[in-house]
Amino acid sequence: MKKFEYADEQISDKQILIAVPSFVIGIGVLSLPKYIASVTTASDGWVALLIGGIIAMVITWSVAKLSARFPNQSFFTYSSAIVTRPIAMMLTFLFSCLSMGITALQIRQIADISKHYLLKETPVEVISFTFLLLIIYAVAGSRTALFRLNTMFLPFVLFVAVIVIVFNIKWMHPSFLLPAFETDLTSYFDAVKSSVLSYAGFGILWFYITLVKKPEKTPQLAVIGMCIPILLYFALYLTCILVFGTSVTANLQYPTVELAKIVEIPGGILERFESLFFVIWIMAIFNTTSMALDIAVLALQSIFKNTAKVILIFIITPIIYIAGMLPQELVQVSQFSSFIGYSSVLYTAFVVILLSIIAKIRKVK
């Protein structure tokens, strides 16, 4: 069968607006309310989510603004002009390693949660391998097709999230919001760290803005895109607190999935709504994982220009699979998640500061 070729690999700036929330909204939101509630009092976690969201928007705008200054140039190309080629090669390679780590984490987490709720008798290794094969198939094709899938899947993900919130209104207890502002500063700081990690999707902008035809408005649209997960996480967190209270939320492994389990569709049309919720949420996790693997390949392609995309995919995917299977317990998976999250945020912030300062000193335009 002949492979279909798209006209070009360029995208519009509006597709960046879709790509940012498509990457950010993933498996993290299923457990985020647990981490926020475990260190804050009553509904105080919304403050941390708001502060974390503002930090994420600032980093998103900074990365997009810097990348948009070099239209149609790859990250490796313009960073080579700023900090010399060897350093640019190292920076690009580290971004590829981080993206491989994100991919490994996603395939492991999707396997853990699938085993917990759906496939109790299936080994984690089999679920992860099957999901990874699906991701390889998606990434091996056209990069533009991934953006089209983002555009197609995101409305379903947002719609099912809205259903979860709306159909839990009758179970909400406003008294669970009080007392207010009782959390100490240290706990607020811990909660802000968790919230910033959950928004860590700005790294894709280093590589995808290269594909935008006219990136003049991309920074503003990327920030608007980041606002979507911020508002969604804000609403889902408050729904968890209003329905379960702080103590129960802090002790549930996946509070957002538990919200879906108590949804009752009028007329008994759908008795087990959480099954539908989980199926649609896999679309969100698919978007995140496929873009993470695609960024890993794209970064390596910019260094090894003569190596075919498919060859790079088959070189790195065994490494990704092994890395995803290394954690033995949920605690180790959580530690792996924290390591990848902190590395992603801190490395992105470091690179944007480094390149901005050196570009200004050397007057690189």
Side-chain angles (χ1 to χ4, degrees), residues 10 15 64 97 134 145 165 190 199 212 214 235 276 354:
Q10 288 195 309
Q15 286 176 303
C97 292
L134 179 66
I165 295 168
D190 291 338
Y199 298 132
V212 178
K214 297 178 181 178
L276 176 64
L354 176 74

Short mmCIF file of all heavy atoms in Angstrom, two decimals, residues 10 15 64 97 134 145 165 190 199 212 214 235 276 354:
data_model
loop_
_atom_site.label_atom_id
_atom_site.label_comp_id
_atom_site.label_asym_id
_atom_site.label_seq_id
_atom_site.Cartn_x
_atom_site.Cartn_y
_atom_site.Cartn_z
N GLN A 10 4.75 21.88 7.48
CA GLN A 10 4.57 23.12 8.24
C GLN A 10 3.19 23.15 8.88
O GLN A 10 2.24 22.49 8.43
CB GLN A 10 4.75 24.33 7.33
CG GLN A 10 6.21 24.55 6.93
CD GLN A 10 6.45 25.92 6.35
OE1 GLN A 10 5.73 26.34 5.45
NE2 GLN A 10 7.44 26.61 6.87
N GLN A 15 -2.26 25.76 15.56
CA GLN A 15 -1.99 24.37 15.94
C GLN A 15 -1.03 24.29 17.12
O GLN A 15 -1.05 23.31 17.87
CB GLN A 15 -1.45 23.59 14.72
CG GLN A 15 -2.55 23.28 13.72
CD GLN A 15 -2.04 22.60 12.46
OE1 GLN A 15 -1.17 23.13 11.77
NE2 GLN A 15 -2.57 21.43 12.16
N ALA A 64 8.60 30.60 23.79
CA ALA A 64 7.98 30.89 22.49
C ALA A 64 8.54 32.17 21.88
O ALA A 64 8.78 32.24 20.67
CB ALA A 64 6.47 30.98 22.64
N CYS A 97 17.06 13.42 25.40
CA CYS A 97 17.05 12.48 26.54
C CYS A 97 15.85 12.75 27.45
O CYS A 97 15.20 11.81 27.94
CB CYS A 97 18.34 12.61 27.34
SG CYS A 97 19.79 12.02 26.45
N LEU A 134 1.87 1.31 19.57
CA LEU A 134 0.91 2.27 19.01
C LEU A 134 1.57 3.64 18.80
O LEU A 134 1.38 4.29 17.77
CB LEU A 134 -0.30 2.39 19.95
CG LEU A 134 -1.39 3.37 19.54
CD1 LEU A 134 -2.07 2.92 18.27
CD2 LEU A 134 -2.41 3.53 20.67
N ALA A 145 0.43 14.96 10.79
CA ALA A 145 -0.73 14.15 11.20
C ALA A 145 -0.90 14.15 12.71
O ALA A 145 -2.03 14.09 13.21
CB ALA A 145 -0.55 12.72 10.69
N ILE A 165 -17.34 17.17 35.80
CA ILE A 165 -17.57 18.28 36.74
C ILE A 165 -19.07 18.55 36.91
O ILE A 165 -19.59 18.64 38.03
CB ILE A 165 -16.84 19.54 36.25
CG1 ILE A 165 -15.33 19.31 36.28
CG2 ILE A 165 -17.21 20.75 37.09
CD1 ILE A 165 -14.52 20.36 35.56
N ASP A 190 5.50 23.65 48.60
CA ASP A 190 5.46 22.26 48.11
C ASP A 190 4.35 22.06 47.08
O ASP A 190 4.53 21.36 46.09
CB ASP A 190 5.26 21.30 49.29
CG ASP A 190 6.47 21.24 50.20
OD1 ASP A 190 7.56 21.58 49.73
OD2 ASP A 190 6.31 20.87 51.38
N TYR A 199 2.32 21.27 34.81
CA TYR A 199 2.15 22.12 33.62
C TYR A 199 3.35 22.03 32.69
O TYR A 199 3.45 22.81 31.73
CB TYR A 199 1.98 23.58 34.03
CG TYR A 199 0.76 23.86 34.87
CD1 TYR A 199 0.86 24.62 36.04
CD2 TYR A 199 -0.50 23.40 34.52
CE1 TYR A 199 -0.25 24.89 36.82
CE2 TYR A 199 -1.61 23.67 35.29
CZ TYR A 199 -1.47 24.41 36.44
OH TYR A 199 -2.57 24.68 37.22
N VAL A 212 6.20 26.34 12.36
CA VAL A 212 5.12 27.33 12.16
C VAL A 212 5.47 28.24 10.99
O VAL A 212 6.59 28.77 10.90
CB VAL A 212 4.92 28.17 13.44
CG1 VAL A 212 3.83 29.22 13.22
CG2 VAL A 212 4.54 27.26 14.61
N LYS A 214 4.17 31.28 10.08
CA LYS A 214 4.33 32.69 10.46
C LYS A 214 4.25 32.78 11.99
O LYS A 214 3.15 32.86 12.55
CB LYS A 214 3.23 33.55 9.82
CG LYS A 214 3.30 33.55 8.29
CD LYS A 214 2.16 34.36 7.71
CE LYS A 214 2.21 34.34 6.18
NZ LYS A 214 1.07 35.09 5.58
N ALA A 235 -10.48 23.61 37.92
CA ALA A 235 -11.87 23.15 38.09
C ALA A 235 -11.92 21.72 38.64
O ALA A 235 -12.73 21.42 39.53
CB ALA A 235 -12.59 23.22 36.74
N LEU A 276 -15.93 4.95 29.89
CA LEU A 276 -15.89 5.91 28.79
C LEU A 276 -14.86 7.00 29.08
O LEU A 276 -14.09 7.39 28.20
CB LEU A 276 -17.28 6.54 28.59
CG LEU A 276 -17.36 7.65 27.54
CD1 LEU A 276 -17.05 7.10 26.15
CD2 LEU A 276 -18.75 8.30 27.54
N LEU A 354 19.92 31.10 29.56
CA LEU A 354 21.26 31.05 28.95
C LEU A 354 21.26 31.64 27.54
O LEU A 354 22.06 32.53 27.21
CB LEU A 354 21.73 29.59 28.90
CG LEU A 354 23.07 29.34 28.21
CD1 LEU A 354 24.23 29.81 29.09
CD2 LEU A 354 23.25 27.85 27.88
#
